[in-house]
Amino acid sequence: MKKEHDTQPGRRRVSASRPSHQRGTERPHGGHFSRPSRETTPSVPAVFDKNALRVIPIGGLEEVGRNMVAIEYGDNILIIDMGLQFPEEDMPGVDYIIPNIEYFKGKERNVLGVIITHAHYDHIGAIPHLIPRLANPPLYGTDLTLAIIKRRQEDFKEISSRLELHQITNDTKLELGIFKVEFFGVSHNIPGSVGVIVHTPEGILVHTGDFKIDERSNIAGVTELDKLERIGKHNPLLLMSDSTNAREIGKQHSEIDIMTELEDIVKNAKGRLIFGTFASLLGRLNEIIQLAAKYKKKLIIEGRSMKNNVEIAKELGYITVPKGTIIPVEEMKSYRNHEIMILATGAQGEERAVLMRIANREHRFIEVEPGDTFVFSSSVIPGNERTVQRLTDKLYREGVDVINYRMMDIHAGGHAKQEDLKKMIEIVKPRYFMPIEGNHSFLRIHGKIATRAGYADDKILVADNGQVIQCKGGICVRTKEKVPSDYVFVDGLGVGDVGDVVLRDRQMMAKDGMFVVIATFDNRTKRVMGNPDLISRGFIYMRESKELLMEVRRLVKRIVEQSAGNHAPGEINWTYIKDNIREEVGEFLYHKTHRHPMVLPVVIEV
Amino acid sequence: MKKEHDTQPGRRRVSASRPSHQRGTERPHGGHFSRPSRETTPSVPAVFDKNALRVIPIGGLEEVGRNMVAIEYGDNILIIDMGLQFPEEDMPGVDYIIPNIEYFKGKERNVLGVIITHAHYDHIGAIPHLIPRLANPPLYGTDLTLAIIKRRQEDFKEISSRLELHQITNDTKLELGIFKVEFFGVSHNIPGSVGVIVHTPEGILVHTGDFKIDERSNIAGVTELDKLERIGKHNPLLLMSDSTNAREIGKQHSEIDIMTELEDIVKNAKGRLIFGTFASLLGRLNEIIQLAAKYKKKLIIEGRSMKNNVEIAKELGYITVPKGTIIPVEEMKSYRNHEIMILATGAQGEERAVLMRIANREHRFIEVEPGDTFVFSSSVIPGNERTVQRLTDKLYREGVDVINYRMMDIHAGGHAKQEDLKKMIEIVKPRYFMPIEGNHSFLRIHGKIATRAGYADDKILVADNGQVIQCKGGICVRTKEKVPSDYVFVDGLGVGDVGDVVLRDRQMMAKDGMFVVIATFDNRTKRVMGNPDLISRGFIYMRESKELLMEVRRLVKRIVEQSAGNHAPGEINWTYIKDNIREEVGEFLYHKTHRHPMVLPVVIEV
């Protein structure tokens, strides 16, 4: 008969228990990933003031991504944006990170609406996961924004039902509970981008969304500074402004200059021209389409997301494609190389994306050839440097030309730089300024820009994720109240079920692998049956380590028989024995290899 | 009785066999990490020509790092450099990569000497691992180079015995077998750097090592162009030259300009000044020491490797420290903040290094304070971007100033740029040119510089790691012969025992964790005893997934009993059953979670 081993009540029978040095970390959240803060000790305020305005940045204030701000007054909650953040390198297997909406538990019905400023993933990415958990509040966005949200929603049929979508334009005015909402168009590298003006009982809030200021062209849309000037005359309470490029001095490039550089590349291409870029950079895609038409080239678009986005923008009239400019890839062979331009996904060296398949000769129709010119991002999303370097090396090996062009970067050209940011502050003239959308250091630097614009320190609110800003009687303060803002990980179908413990285990196994020890103890003979079984993965190559493994088997046998041999079946403390196996085998393996695999002891009693 | 399960001969009994989709990759090397090459199909040449010169780049031609070149003529082998390469992000747990020396098996006694150009890890790092396996050949280097090698060797007492070290100067002449060897000093960001001139029966080879050309100062040493001009008059056969900065246009900065910028920073500091940099950037460290003295500041050096290196350079007279400039950290409190400068390791955001401990308030003596100014690398070693960003955010949170200064970068300021590289080619005037030390794309770009200098394509040898260059009768060609150059991983005490299989397992477990299924089958009752045991790590949080786990238990029970129930004990095909468990459980878990943990089935027969 097989019996229960684990003496700890409530624990699973053969749960290979965790090494003691990891015990302290068995909390699903916190620990490694918490962001320490000197100034803002979290504490629940004594009273929730129903007659104060609360501005709560749920995400986007300690990172680029996961943008979400809540505006609350009494029973009225308005949310701006619902984005995702891409995982960092110590979060293996995580698909992305979404805002934490624990604060809204029990308040779901207070959420009057969710306004989406534009269709980039760091602003829309969490919608399928969070909207159902907020009792399906209505979503507001421009036509392009809504179309992209709708298209993406198709990939999430399993988890998310229909969305209630309401189309707005730059000139729409909404009443949502106590709030009155207006919009202003902004220039950004995707069309249909807006900023938001919220009239509250405590005054006017301005949220820029992502924006740039382009004084010389309207190619990437126009930031409606005239509207903001008018608002500026009404003594607005608070400006929340985009910090993505706050570290960059000077002004952002005009699209005219970007177009001129792109045009030089197109004009001078002797062979095929292959642009690797992001499907979401719709503004840039449009410019390339127009240049292809101007120079009578044929353009091929490869990559599902890129095709989709161009299709949507075309349908809505944001992109006009001159007839015959875009051709299906199958027709490429009918043209000479210098007549061909290709727009492809995969500028970050993604393994399965179009660019990599072209370079690897795995693409069905397009194969790299000497004479091709590849144009892609000069800088790279952190974590992707080496895959991009591999792609570049591969392409050079094929004898092609590679042009690294910064304006193919995802955050290049789309965000206001220091002088633009100063101008925004000076036009809106808010009583308080709050930098949003960026790492803490970006916010601080943005704060210094406000200082240059004449703001006193107490008028500049550099906050953390989750930190409640309270405004009452014309005074805004950063409170000590912090609502939950811990990471929520999306991994496959799971949302929030991967926490610190799971990630630490992954990191540990990634570093030194794991080592399962299985001993079958015969209660009758008081001996381990045969030899303990060992499974090693990611640690050593087993066939080459036979002697080491034999030593481990002897060690395990000795530990089990010495500890269990003298006890009656019911009296054996298997937890203690397993702890011993884990520690002694772990030490032995470290001594022999200087590696720390995760050791998992399993004892079967028969 | 417990019995053997696995029907495959020669395999371990309870080896949880690998999923079928991974089977194809069960080779210890190759696969994912091989570098495809269109031009150079490896093939062993029919005859090894004893009367030809063979130049074999073992490493450093497809990466920055792992530098090692062998020069072979008959029984004579000379090696230049023996460096390490830092692992890429898809090599979890690997400490570093060293050159593959399989080619020298059986030829160990032919290795007449190993010349080390300078003391950076990408040139010395593999010495402790490889020297013993080459029958301890003598090592040649300048005093500083040898001193740093000796100091590092102390960390490898377990694996490496005494080294035979021979000190050289820029003017030493050596006879090593058939080769005559001379040196030339080069300017680089560590003192005691040299290039190598090798006289061979087929002509003169020049190997630059790492170098820059600084026409305006000798602060970082002098590249002895006069010597090279003289060599240039003897019609040298082949120039091998540093490609690290081949992508950078123009000329490298003079140390005078770098000093001026550093001086501005020192002069303008209002509070403490904390430099985060690399222990190996001895040239830069020296400049900071001299500036501290000039401005009557007290300098504290923190970090073992940095202290060691400064100590060694001081002893050898490479650095002169004015009396009273460097103080122990304990005396910091005796001075006012603006009198203090600190040199610290950890500019890459390393978790345990000094800079991070200061930022985290975990350092024994130094705590970050408002008013401090931190100066560190503006660019970052690929893979470290986010840890550096975290460090930066932490520092900003403390209200300090952060200056990102590119000349604190490990490869900034130390390597020749395009115009310098062209000059080197024009001075040496080799018959053949071979770019070394860099990724393939860097070598190609360096090749184009040679084209600009007037070289025909067949005189420019862009080779791959392991590719044999053969020179005879004044003609050098890239042969189709490739000696082994696969990655050799160092992981703890293991060298070369971690291969592709182990790394793939680590990657798989890092992504989605693992899931062990343990079923005990009773041969008498033909039933699985109790419930199968499950261990999950890095996959899901078990306590929150009870229902899912119960379904898996039922599934496993059914698979085992259906497949094994009708067979006599000796006839059961356990391999087949385990494959079934792996596949069905894998599919079931994917369906439920969209994750692919590594499933390890274990069946115990009693």
Side-chain angles (χ1 to χ4, degrees):
Chain A
M1 262 296 291
K2 197 175 167 203
K3 289 177 192 166
E4 300 253 332
H5 295 157
D6 222 309
T7 53
Q8 284 178 259
R11 292 201 68 170
R12 278 227 338 96
R13 191 161 45 91
V14 189
S15 64
S17 58
R18 198 167 297 276
S20 55
H21 67 274
Q22 288 178 63
R23 287 248 172 80
T25 69
E26 284 211 21
R27 289 168 298 140
H29 288 292
H32 188 54
F33 294 108
S34 67
R35 293 280 179 275
S37 166
R38 288 182 71 201
E39 307 136 297
T40 55
T41 334
S43 72
V44 183
V47 200
F48 170 84
D49 189 342
K50 283 197 73 150
N51 298 312
L53 178 71
R54 292 156 61 86
V55 177
I56 313 174
I58 304 292
L61 267 68
E62 298 174 34
E63 58 274 310
V64 171
R66 192 162 50 119
N67 294 300
M68 177 166 164
V69 173
I71 297 164
E72 184 175 28
Y73 191 95
D75 293 337
N76 301 266
I77 295 176
L78 191 66
I79 289 173
I80 300 178
D81 289 331
M82 203 169 262
L84 61 76
Q85 175 188 355
F86 289 101
E88 312 212 347
E89 64 266 33
D90 56 356
M91 306 169 188
V94 171
D95 299 332
Y96 44 83
I97 308 162
I98 57 175
N100 191 318
I101 55 165
E102 225 174 295
Y103 177 65
F104 303 94
K105 231 176 221 171
K107 290 188 173 196
E108 293 86 354
R109 301 282 158 196
N110 293 1
V111 179
L112 304 166
V114 178
I115 292 164
I116 304 295
T117 58
H118 63 285
H120 281 159
Y121 280 14
D122 50 342
H123 296 258
I124 67 168
I127 290 174
H129 306 286
L130 300 186
I131 285 294
R133 295 164 61 198
L134 291 171
N136 290 297
L139 275 147
Y140 298 87
T142 61
D143 50 359
L144 184 75
T145 302
L146 296 187
I148 290 178
I149 290 171
K150 242 190 289 185
R151 181 68 63 107
R152 183 161 186 266
Q153 195 70 3
E154 290 166 17
D155 297 337
F156 290 91
K157 279 185 198 133
E158 297 170 67
I159 60 164
S160 199
S161 51
R162 283 177 85 80
L163 300 172
E164 188 190 325
L165 301 175
H166 297 268
Q167 189 173 315
I168 55 130
T169 70
N170 295 356
D171 299 317
T172 301
K173 289 179 202 288
L174 300 174
E175 287 203 22
L176 297 171
I178 205 164
F179 304 118
K180 289 195 179 62
V181 183
E182 295 178 80
F183 302 92
F184 55 101
V186 294
S187 172
H188 188 44
N189 45 26
I190 186 166
S193 297
V194 296
V196 190
I197 299 160
V198 185
H199 299 263
T200 80
E202 285 293 332
I204 299 170
L205 310 183
V206 178
H207 182 298
T208 64
D210 288 4
F211 78 102
K212 70 183 274 189
I213 295 175
D214 187 344
E215 286 157 354
R216 292 165 50 209
S217 101
N218 61 1
I219 301 171
V222 171
T223 298
E224 295 180 314
L225 297 177
D226 48 334
K227 267 191 195 168
L228 292 172
E229 257 165 38
R230 276 201 305 277
I231 287 293
K233 289 182 184 136
H234 290 88
N235 194 24
L237 181 66
L238 177 69
L239 169 65
M240 291 173 261
S241 182
D242 173 10
S243 309
T244 313
N245 271 359
R247 290 178 306 174
E248 312 277 335
I249 56 169
K251 291 181 180 190
Q252 184 53 275
H253 300 278
S254 166
E255 289 294 319
I256 286 187
D257 298 332
I258 297 172
M259 276 291 266
T260 307
E261 283 186 38
L262 276 174
E263 186 160 356
D264 278 344
I265 294 172
V266 173
K267 212 162 47 185
N268 296 324
K270 301 264 181 300
R272 289 189 307 190
L273 198 50
I274 298 149
F275 290 92
T277 185
F278 299 88
S280 59
L281 279 179
L282 262 173
R284 200 68 68 245
L285 302 187
N286 185 28
E287 287 160 13
I288 292 169
I289 292 169
Q290 303 315 321
L291 286 169
K294 181 168 176 186
Y295 286 91
K296 309 250 177 295
K297 305 217 177 196
K298 299 298 168 186
L299 185 68
I300 292 155
I301 300 180
E302 279 295 293
R304 185 177 76 106
S305 51
M306 203 175 264
K307 275 184 182 165
N308 280 348
N309 283 356
V310 170
E311 203 48 50
I312 291 170
K314 232 172 74 183
E315 274 168 29
L316 296 173
Y318 282 102
I319 293 183
T320 313
V321 184
K323 213 172 166 241
T325 301
I326 297 179
I327 60 166
V329 65
E330 294 85 347
E331 290 178 17
M332 190 176 67
K333 291 263 179 274
S334 319
Y335 298 90
R336 305 230 301 278
N337 274 358
H338 71 271
E339 296 171 300
I340 293 292
M341 280 170 57
I342 297 167
L343 260 177
T345 52
Q348 295 291 312
E350 300 93 324
E351 203 54 51
R352 300 304 316 149
V354 178
L355 219 53
M356 194 58 105
R357 284 188 284 133
I358 293 175
N360 282 339
R361 304 174 172 277
E362 291 168 5
H363 193 279
R364 243 180 102 194
F365 297 100
I366 310 170
E367 226 179 45
V368 55
E369 315 180 355
D372 287 347
T373 301
F374 284 75
V375 184
F376 51 84
S377 299
S378 61
S379 78
V380 173
I381 294 174
N384 292 350
E385 290 77 8
R386 302 205 197 198
T387 45
V388 171
Q389 186 58 55
R390 279 184 206 175
L391 176 62
T392 306
D393 286 337
K394 249 180 205 149
L395 292 173
Y396 268 92
R397 198 172 280 281
E398 303 290 345
V400 310
D401 270 332
V402 177
I403 299 173
N404 293 308
Y405 182 50
R406 183 156 153 69
M407 289 306 151
M408 291 290 140
D409 297 353
I410 196 154
H411 289 303
H415 297 267
K417 294 184 179 177
Q418 294 188 349
E419 295 316 307
D420 309 314
L421 293 170
K422 185 154 171 280
K423 186 171 184 175
M424 176 59 78
I425 298 170
E426 289 166 345
I427 288 177
V428 177
K429 294 195 215 66
R431 281 173 276 165
Y432 288 89
F433 173 69
M434 177 175 173
I436 58 171
E437 300 182 357
N439 288 74
H440 185 75
S441 51
F442 306 2
L443 307 188
R444 289 274 187 160
I445 293 166
H446 202 174
K448 284 180 191 164
I449 296 170
T451 307
R452 277 208 288 127
Y455 281 75
D457 282 357
D458 66 327
K459 304 294 182 195
I460 302 169
L461 308 170
V462 176
D464 285 331
N465 284 336
Q467 187 169 20
V468 178
I469 309 297
Q470 185 160 300
C471 300
K472 198 174 177 179
I475 309 283
C476 291
V477 291
R478 295 183 304 168
T479 69
K480 290 196 184 305
E481 179 185 353
K482 269 195 100 175
V483 313
S485 64
D486 302 321
Y487 287 152
V488 174
F489 298 119
V490 175
D491 180 354
L493 294 183
V495 176
D497 64 338
V498 168
D500 273 13
V501 181
V502 169
L503 283 187
R504 270 173 198 252
D505 285 348
R506 287 182 186 174
Q507 287 164 16
M508 192 175 180
M509 291 189 291
K511 205 174 159 299
D512 286 322
M514 59 102 190
F515 194 82
V516 186
V517 175
I518 304 144
T520 312
F521 184 75
D522 186 333
N523 259 320
R524 218 168 16 92
T525 64
K526 303 278 181 211
R527 301 220 147 264
V528 171
M529 292 167 72
N531 266 326
D533 298 312
L534 308 175
I535 304 173
S536 145
R537 284 288 182 274
F539 167 52
I540 42 166
Y541 199 59
M542 301 246 311
R543 272 185 250 193
E544 288 165 9
S545 318
K546 287 188 181 151
E547 203 175 311
L548 178 77
L549 298 178
M550 272 321 297
E551 288 188 70
V552 173
R553 286 197 188 90
R554 279 194 291 270
L555 176 64
V556 171
K557 219 168 154 151
R558 202 183 64 231
I559 296 169
V560 174
E561 292 177 358
Q562 280 182 358
S563 313
N566 301 322
H567 292 84
E571 286 170 5
I572 302 170
N573 184 344
W574 289 107
T575 305
Y576 170 78
I577 293 173
K578 283 193 289 180
D579 282 350
N580 269 354
I581 294 175
R582 193 174 35 248
E583 262 153 49
E584 289 195 35
V585 171
E587 261 171 45
F588 176 79
L589 295 177
Y590 182 75
H591 175 70
K592 290 287 187 184
T593 64
H594 276 207
R595 294 177 202 166
H596 273 307
M598 178 182 281
V599 176
L600 296 174
V602 177
V603 187
I604 313 275
E605 208 180 345
V606 292
Chain B
M1 263 293 292
K2 196 176 169 198
K3 287 178 196 166
E4 301 255 329
H5 297 156
D6 221 310
T7 52
Q8 283 178 259
R11 294 201 68 171
R12 277 223 344 92
R13 191 162 45 89
V14 190
S15 64
S17 58
R18 197 168 297 279
S20 54
H21 68 273
Q22 287 178 64
R23 286 248 172 79
T25 68
E26 284 215 19
R27 290 167 298 141
H29 289 292
H32 188 56
F33 293 110
S34 67
R35 291 284 179 274
S37 165
R38 289 184 71 202
E39 307 135 299
T40 54
T41 335
S43 71
V44 182
V47 201
F48 170 83
D49 190 341
K50 283 199 71 150
N51 298 311
L53 178 71
R54 292 156 60 84
V55 177
I56 314 174
I58 303 292
L61 267 67
E62 298 174 33
E63 58 273 311
V64 170
R66 195 162 50 121
N67 294 300
M68 177 166 164
V69 173
I71 297 164
E72 183 175 31
Y73 190 95
D75 293 338
N76 301 267
I77 295 176
L78 192 67
I79 289 173
I80 300 177
D81 288 331
M82 203 168 262
L84 62 76
Q85 175 189 354
F86 289 101
E88 312 211 348
E89 64 265 33
D90 55 357
M91 306 169 187
V94 170
D95 298 333
Y96 43 84
I97 307 162
I98 57 175
N100 190 316
I101 55 165
E102 224 175 296
Y103 177 67
F104 303 95
K105 231 177 218 170
K107 288 189 173 196
E108 292 85 354
R109 300 284 158 193
N110 293 359
V111 180
L112 305 165
V114 178
I115 292 164
I116 304 295
T117 59
H118 63 284
H120 281 161
Y121 279 15
D122 50 341
H123 296 259
I124 67 168
I127 290 174
H129 305 286
L130 299 186
I131 286 294
R133 294 165 62 198
L134 290 170
N136 290 297
L139 275 148
Y140 298 87
T142 61
D143 49 358
L144 183 74
T145 302
L146 296 186
I148 290 177
I149 290 172
K150 241 190 291 186
R151 181 67 63 108
R152 184 161 186 267
Q153 196 70 4
E154 289 166 19
D155 296 337
F156 290 91
K157 278 185 198 134
E158 298 170 62
I159 61 163
S160 198
S161 51
R162 281 179 85 78
L163 301 172
E164 188 189 325
L165 300 175
H166 297 269
Q167 188 174 317
I168 54 129
T169 69
N170 295 356
D171 299 318
T172 301
K173 287 178 204 289
L174 300 174
E175 287 204 22
L176 296 170
I178 206 165
F179 303 118
K180 289 194 178 66
V181 182
E182 295 178 80
F183 302 91
F184 55 101
V186 292
S187 172
H188 188 45
N189 44 25
I190 186 167
S193 297
V194 297
V196 190
I197 298 159
V198 186
H199 300 264
T200 80
E202 285 293 332
I204 300 169
L205 309 183
V206 178
H207 182 298
T208 64
D210 287 4
F211 78 102
K212 72 183 271 189
I213 295 175
D214 187 343
E215 286 156 352
R216 292 165 51 208
S217 101
N218 60 2
I219 301 171
V222 172
T223 297
E224 295 180 316
L225 297 176
D226 49 333
K227 268 190 194 168
L228 292 172
E229 258 166 34
R230 278 202 303 279
I231 287 292
K233 290 183 182 133
H234 291 87
N235 195 22
L237 181 66
L238 178 68
L239 168 64
M240 290 173 262
S241 183
D242 173 10
S243 310
T244 313
N245 271 0
R247 290 179 303 174
E248 310 278 334
I249 57 169
K251 292 179 179 192
Q252 185 51 278
H253 300 279
S254 166
E255 288 294 320
I256 286 185
D257 298 333
I258 297 171
M259 277 290 266
T260 307
E261 283 187 37
L262 276 175
E263 188 160 354
D264 277 345
I265 294 173
V266 172
K267 214 162 45 184
N268 296 325
K270 301 264 180 300
R272 289 190 307 189
L273 198 51
I274 298 150
F275 290 92
T277 185
F278 298 89
S280 59
L281 279 180
L282 263 173
R284 200 68 67 244
L285 301 187
N286 185 27
E287 287 160 12
I288 292 168
I289 292 170
Q290 302 317 319
L291 285 170
K294 181 167 174 187
Y295 286 91
K296 309 248 177 299
K297 305 218 178 196
K298 299 298 169 188
L299 185 68
I300 292 155
I301 301 181
E302 279 296 293
R304 186 178 74 108
S305 51
M306 203 175 263
K307 275 185 181 163
N308 281 347
N309 283 356
V310 169
E311 203 49 51
I312 291 170
K314 232 172 75 182
E315 273 167 27
L316 296 172
Y318 283 100
I319 293 183
T320 313
V321 183
K323 210 169 168 244
T325 301
I326 297 179
I327 60 165
V329 65
E330 294 86 346
E331 291 178 15
M332 190 176 68
K333 292 262 180 275
S334 318
Y335 298 89
R336 304 231 300 277
N337 274 357
H338 71 271
E339 296 172 299
I340 293 293
M341 278 170 58
I342 297 167
L343 261 176
T345 52
Q348 295 292 311
E350 300 94 322
E351 202 54 50
R352 299 303 317 149
V354 178
L355 218 53
M356 194 59 104
R357 282 188 286 133
I358 293 175
N360 282 338
R361 306 176 171 273
E362 291 168 4
H363 192 281
R364 243 181 101 194
F365 295 101
I366 309 170
E367 226 179 46
V368 55
E369 318 180 351
D372 288 347
T373 301
F374 284 76
V375 184
F376 52 85
S377 299
S378 61
S379 79
V380 173
I381 295 175
N384 292 351
E385 290 78 7
R386 301 206 198 198
T387 46
V388 171
Q389 185 58 54
R390 279 185 206 175
L391 176 61
T392 307
D393 287 335
K394 248 179 205 151
L395 292 173
Y396 267 93
R397 197 172 281 281
E398 303 290 348
V400 310
D401 268 331
V402 176
I403 299 174
N404 293 307
Y405 182 48
R406 180 153 156 72
M407 290 307 150
M408 291 290 142
D409 296 353
I410 196 154
H411 291 302
H415 297 267
K417 295 185 180 178
Q418 295 188 348
E419 294 315 309
D420 309 314
L421 294 169
K422 185 155 172 277
K423 186 170 186 176
M424 175 60 77
I425 298 170
E426 287 167 345
I427 287 176
V428 176
K429 295 194 215 62
R431 282 173 276 164
Y432 288 89
F433 173 71
M434 178 174 171
I436 59 171
E437 300 181 355
N439 287 73
H440 185 75
S441 51
F442 305 3
L443 307 187
R444 290 273 186 157
I445 293 166
H446 202 174
K448 283 181 190 163
I449 296 169
T451 308
R452 277 208 287 129
Y455 281 74
D457 282 357
D458 66 325
K459 305 294 183 194
I460 301 168
L461 308 170
V462 176
D464 284 330
N465 285 335
Q467 186 170 20
V468 178
I469 307 298
Q470 186 160 296
C471 299
K472 197 174 179 181
I475 310 283
C476 292
V477 290
R478 293 183 305 167
T479 70
K480 291 197 184 300
E481 180 185 353
K482 270 195 99 173
V483 313
S485 64
D486 302 318
Y487 286 152
V488 175
F489 298 119
V490 175
D491 180 355
L493 295 182
V495 175
D497 64 338
V498 168
D500 273 13
V501 181
V502 170
L503 283 188
R504 271 176 195 252
D505 286 348
R506 286 182 186 175
Q507 287 163 15
M508 192 175 179
M509 291 188 291
K511 207 174 156 302
D512 286 322
M514 59 101 191
F515 194 83
V516 186
V517 175
I518 304 145
T520 310
F521 183 76
D522 188 333
N523 257 318
R524 216 167 18 90
T525 63
K526 304 281 181 206
R527 301 220 149 262
V528 171
M529 292 167 73
N531 264 326
D533 297 312
L534 308 176
I535 305 173
S536 144
R537 284 290 182 272
F539 167 52
I540 43 166
Y541 199 58
M542 301 244 310
R543 270 185 252 192
E544 288 165 8
S545 319
K546 283 184 183 153
E547 201 176 314
L548 177 77
L549 298 176
M550 271 322 296
E551 287 188 70
V552 173
R553 287 198 187 90
R554 279 194 290 270
L555 176 65
V556 171
K557 218 167 158 158
R558 201 183 65 229
I559 295 169
V560 174
E561 292 178 357
Q562 279 181 0
S563 312
N566 301 322
H567 292 84
E571 284 168 6
I572 301 170
N573 185 344
W574 288 108
T575 306
Y576 169 79
I577 292 172
K578 283 193 290 181
D579 282 350
N580 270 353
I581 295 175
R582 193 174 35 248
E583 264 154 49
E584 290 196 35
V585 171
E587 261 169 46
F588 175 79
L589 294 177
Y590 182 75
H591 174 69
K592 289 290 188 183
T593 65
H594 277 207
R595 295 176 202 166
H596 273 307
M598 178 183 280
V599 177
L600 296 173
V602 178
V603 186
I604 312 275
E605 210 182 345
V606 291

